[in-house]
Amino acid sequence: MTEFDPANFASIDAKEFSKLVKTTPDSKIAEVMQGDLRGKVLDEVFNRMPTLFRPEKAGATSAVIHWNITGRPDGGTDTYEIVVDNGTCVVSPTAEREPRLSLTLGPVDFLKVVGGTANPMMMFMTGKLKAKGDLGLAAQIPNLFDIPKS
């Protein structure tokens, strides 16, 4: 696949997705994430997280993490909840529990982080990624998930 087309996301693996995010201009990703396909893209990404979760790295980690993706076409924010507990990872498209960590970033930066094409620590230091709560947990997130590098 050579074009950023959410209709094909379900058929590509994490490594292909990473390559796609890396080779697609930010303006094209932003355009898709401002349109009707935004929800499909976010759902596809978050639905993959349990399969990318590495329970052997999580150990005794127990946490609720909220991912807040800004820049919705109506000006709002989409919030997904990830619960890591007892070596499992469960994702919900709604935030129902008090988070131990809340991460906020724009849609293009989010896709770069989960696609393995951006450095979350640098994004935090430059203000593109905002973290509230347990910053130690924030630093641990890249170890909890098998994010491919493109």
Side-chain angles (χ1 to χ4, degrees), residues 57-85:
K57 298 285 187 175
T61 301
S62 179
V64 174
I65 304 166
H66 287 178
W67 286 83
N68 304 299
I69 316 305
T70 63
R72 218 168 45 195
D74 66 2
T77 298
D78 290 299
T79 300
Y80 286 75
E81 182 174 272
I82 294 178
V83 178
V84 174
D85 195 28

Short mmCIF file of all heavy atoms in Angstrom, two decimals, residues 57-85:
data_model
loop_
_atom_site.label_atom_id
_atom_site.label_comp_id
_atom_site.label_asym_id
_atom_site.label_seq_id
_atom_site.Cartn_x
_atom_site.Cartn_y
_atom_site.Cartn_z
N LYS A 57 6.72 -7.45 29.64
CA LYS A 57 7.36 -6.17 30.00
C LYS A 57 6.53 -5.41 31.04
O LYS A 57 7.04 -4.55 31.73
CB LYS A 57 7.55 -5.29 28.77
CG LYS A 57 8.45 -5.88 27.72
CD LYS A 57 9.88 -5.78 28.15
CE LYS A 57 10.79 -6.23 27.01
NZ LYS A 57 12.17 -6.06 27.30
N ALA A 58 5.24 -5.72 31.11
CA ALA A 58 4.35 -5.00 32.01
C ALA A 58 4.56 -5.39 33.46
O ALA A 58 4.37 -4.58 34.36
CB ALA A 58 2.90 -5.22 31.61
N GLY A 59 4.93 -6.65 33.68
CA GLY A 59 5.12 -7.10 35.06
C GLY A 59 3.87 -6.89 35.88
O GLY A 59 2.77 -7.26 35.48
N ALA A 60 4.02 -6.22 37.01
CA ALA A 60 2.89 -5.97 37.91
C ALA A 60 2.22 -4.62 37.64
O ALA A 60 1.43 -4.15 38.46
CB ALA A 60 3.37 -6.02 39.35
N THR A 61 2.50 -4.01 36.50
CA THR A 61 1.90 -2.72 36.18
C THR A 61 0.38 -2.82 36.17
O THR A 61 -0.19 -3.72 35.56
CB THR A 61 2.38 -2.22 34.80
OG1 THR A 61 3.80 -2.09 34.82
CG2 THR A 61 1.76 -0.87 34.45
N SER A 62 -0.24 -1.90 36.88
CA SER A 62 -1.69 -1.79 36.89
C SER A 62 -2.00 -0.31 36.70
O SER A 62 -1.62 0.51 37.54
CB SER A 62 -2.25 -2.30 38.22
OG SER A 62 -3.65 -2.16 38.22
N ALA A 63 -2.64 0.02 35.58
CA ALA A 63 -2.86 1.44 35.29
C ALA A 63 -4.01 1.66 34.32
O ALA A 63 -4.28 0.82 33.47
CB ALA A 63 -1.59 2.04 34.70
N VAL A 64 -4.64 2.80 34.48
CA VAL A 64 -5.62 3.29 33.52
C VAL A 64 -4.95 4.47 32.82
O VAL A 64 -4.46 5.39 33.47
CB VAL A 64 -6.93 3.74 34.21
CG1 VAL A 64 -7.88 4.38 33.21
CG2 VAL A 64 -7.59 2.57 34.92
N ILE A 65 -4.91 4.40 31.50
CA ILE A 65 -4.28 5.45 30.70
C ILE A 65 -5.32 6.01 29.74
O ILE A 65 -6.00 5.26 29.04
CB ILE A 65 -3.09 4.89 29.89
CG1 ILE A 65 -2.08 4.22 30.82
CG2 ILE A 65 -2.43 5.99 29.05
CD1 ILE A 65 -1.06 3.35 30.12
N HIS A 66 -5.44 7.32 29.72
CA HIS A 66 -6.33 7.99 28.77
C HIS A 66 -5.49 8.61 27.66
O HIS A 66 -4.52 9.33 27.95
CB HIS A 66 -7.16 9.08 29.44
CG HIS A 66 -8.24 8.54 30.32
ND1 HIS A 66 -9.07 9.36 31.04
CD2 HIS A 66 -8.63 7.28 30.61
CE1 HIS A 66 -9.92 8.62 31.73
NE2 HIS A 66 -9.67 7.35 31.48
N TRP A 67 -5.84 8.31 26.43
CA TRP A 67 -5.23 8.95 25.27
C TRP A 67 -6.25 9.96 24.74
O TRP A 67 -7.35 9.57 24.33
CB TRP A 67 -4.94 7.91 24.19
CG TRP A 67 -3.78 7.03 24.47
CD1 TRP A 67 -3.76 5.90 25.22
CD2 TRP A 67 -2.45 7.21 23.98
NE1 TRP A 67 -2.50 5.36 25.22
CE2 TRP A 67 -1.68 6.14 24.46
CE3 TRP A 67 -1.84 8.16 23.16
CZ2 TRP A 67 -0.33 6.00 24.17
CZ3 TRP A 67 -0.49 8.02 22.87
CH2 TRP A 67 0.24 6.96 23.37
N ASN A 68 -5.89 11.23 24.76
CA ASN A 68 -6.77 12.29 24.28
C ASN A 68 -6.21 12.79 22.95
O ASN A 68 -5.12 13.38 22.91
CB ASN A 68 -6.81 13.44 25.29
CG ASN A 68 -7.24 12.95 26.66
OD1 ASN A 68 -8.34 12.45 26.82
ND2 ASN A 68 -6.37 13.07 27.64
N ILE A 69 -6.95 12.57 21.88
CA ILE A 69 -6.52 12.97 20.54
C ILE A 69 -7.32 14.20 20.16
O ILE A 69 -8.54 14.14 19.95
CB ILE A 69 -6.74 11.84 19.50
CG1 ILE A 69 -6.32 10.47 20.04
CG2 ILE A 69 -6.05 12.19 18.19
CD1 ILE A 69 -4.91 10.36 20.55
N THR A 70 -6.64 15.33 20.10
CA THR A 70 -7.30 16.61 19.80
C THR A 70 -7.56 16.74 18.29
O THR A 70 -7.19 15.87 17.52
CB THR A 70 -6.42 17.79 20.27
OG1 THR A 70 -5.18 17.76 19.54
CG2 THR A 70 -6.14 17.72 21.77
N GLY A 71 -8.17 17.85 17.92
CA GLY A 71 -8.32 18.18 16.51
C GLY A 71 -9.47 17.51 15.79
O GLY A 71 -9.43 17.33 14.58
N ARG A 72 -10.51 17.15 16.55
CA ARG A 72 -11.69 16.60 15.90
C ARG A 72 -12.30 17.68 15.02
O ARG A 72 -12.18 18.87 15.33
CB ARG A 72 -12.68 16.15 16.99
CG ARG A 72 -13.40 14.89 16.65
CD ARG A 72 -14.16 14.28 17.77
NE ARG A 72 -14.94 15.24 18.53
CZ ARG A 72 -15.47 14.98 19.72
NH1 ARG A 72 -15.28 13.82 20.28
NH2 ARG A 72 -16.17 15.89 20.35
N PRO A 73 -12.96 17.33 13.92
CA PRO A 73 -13.54 18.34 13.03
C PRO A 73 -14.46 19.34 13.75
O PRO A 73 -14.53 20.50 13.37
CB PRO A 73 -14.32 17.52 12.00
CG PRO A 73 -13.60 16.22 11.96
CD PRO A 73 -13.12 15.98 13.37
N ASP A 74 -15.13 18.88 14.82
CA ASP A 74 -16.02 19.79 15.57
C ASP A 74 -15.28 20.56 16.66
O ASP A 74 -15.89 21.26 17.46
CB ASP A 74 -17.19 19.01 16.18
CG ASP A 74 -16.76 18.02 17.26
OD1 ASP A 74 -15.55 17.93 17.58
OD2 ASP A 74 -17.64 17.30 17.77
N GLY A 75 -13.95 20.42 16.68
CA GLY A 75 -13.14 21.13 17.68
C GLY A 75 -12.94 20.35 18.96
O GLY A 75 -12.21 20.78 19.85
N GLY A 76 -13.56 19.20 19.06
CA GLY A 76 -13.47 18.39 20.27
C GLY A 76 -12.26 17.47 20.29
O GLY A 76 -11.37 17.55 19.45
N THR A 77 -12.28 16.58 21.28
CA THR A 77 -11.19 15.63 21.50
C THR A 77 -11.78 14.23 21.63
O THR A 77 -12.81 14.04 22.27
CB THR A 77 -10.45 16.00 22.81
OG1 THR A 77 -9.89 17.29 22.66
CG2 THR A 77 -9.36 15.01 23.13
N ASP A 78 -11.11 13.26 21.01
CA ASP A 78 -11.49 11.85 21.18
C ASP A 78 -10.63 11.28 22.31
O ASP A 78 -9.41 11.48 22.32
CB ASP A 78 -11.22 11.05 19.90
CG ASP A 78 -12.18 11.42 18.79
OD1 ASP A 78 -13.40 11.23 18.99
OD2 ASP A 78 -11.73 11.89 17.74
N THR A 79 -11.26 10.59 23.25
CA THR A 79 -10.53 9.99 24.36
C THR A 79 -10.76 8.48 24.37
O THR A 79 -11.91 8.03 24.36
CB THR A 79 -10.98 10.59 25.71
OG1 THR A 79 -10.73 12.00 25.69
CG2 THR A 79 -10.23 9.95 26.87
N TYR A 80 -9.66 7.75 24.37
CA TYR A 80 -9.68 6.30 24.47
C TYR A 80 -9.03 5.91 25.78
O TYR A 80 -8.08 6.56 26.22
CB TYR A 80 -8.92 5.64 23.30
CG TYR A 80 -9.66 5.71 21.99
CD1 TYR A 80 -9.73 6.89 21.27
CD2 TYR A 80 -10.29 4.59 21.47
CE1 TYR A 80 -10.41 6.97 20.07
CE2 TYR A 80 -10.96 4.64 20.27
CZ TYR A 80 -11.02 5.84 19.56
OH TYR A 80 -11.70 5.90 18.37
N GLU A 81 -9.53 4.85 26.38
CA GLU A 81 -9.02 4.40 27.66
C GLU A 81 -8.34 3.04 27.48
O GLU A 81 -8.91 2.13 26.87
CB GLU A 81 -10.19 4.27 28.65
CG GLU A 81 -9.79 3.84 30.03
CD GLU A 81 -10.98 3.88 30.97
OE1 GLU A 81 -11.23 4.96 31.56
OE2 GLU A 81 -11.67 2.84 31.09
N ILE A 82 -7.14 2.94 28.01
CA ILE A 82 -6.41 1.67 28.02
C ILE A 82 -6.24 1.26 29.47
O ILE A 82 -5.78 2.06 30.29
CB ILE A 82 -5.03 1.80 27.34
CG1 ILE A 82 -5.21 2.10 25.86
CG2 ILE A 82 -4.21 0.54 27.54
CD1 ILE A 82 -3.92 2.29 25.12
N VAL A 83 -6.63 0.03 29.78
CA VAL A 83 -6.46 -0.50 31.12
C VAL A 83 -5.45 -1.64 31.05
O VAL A 83 -5.66 -2.61 30.32
CB VAL A 83 -7.80 -1.01 31.71
CG1 VAL A 83 -7.58 -1.59 33.10
CG2 VAL A 83 -8.82 0.12 31.75
N VAL A 84 -4.34 -1.47 31.76
CA VAL A 84 -3.31 -2.49 31.87
C VAL A 84 -3.42 -3.06 33.28
O VAL A 84 -3.33 -2.32 34.25
CB VAL A 84 -1.90 -1.89 31.63
CG1 VAL A 84 -0.82 -2.91 31.89
CG2 VAL A 84 -1.80 -1.31 30.23
N ASP A 85 -3.65 -4.38 33.37
CA ASP A 85 -3.81 -5.01 34.68
C ASP A 85 -3.62 -6.51 34.56
O ASP A 85 -4.14 -7.13 33.62
CB ASP A 85 -5.20 -4.70 35.23
CG ASP A 85 -5.32 -4.99 36.71
OD1 ASP A 85 -4.30 -4.92 37.42
OD2 ASP A 85 -6.44 -5.30 37.16
#
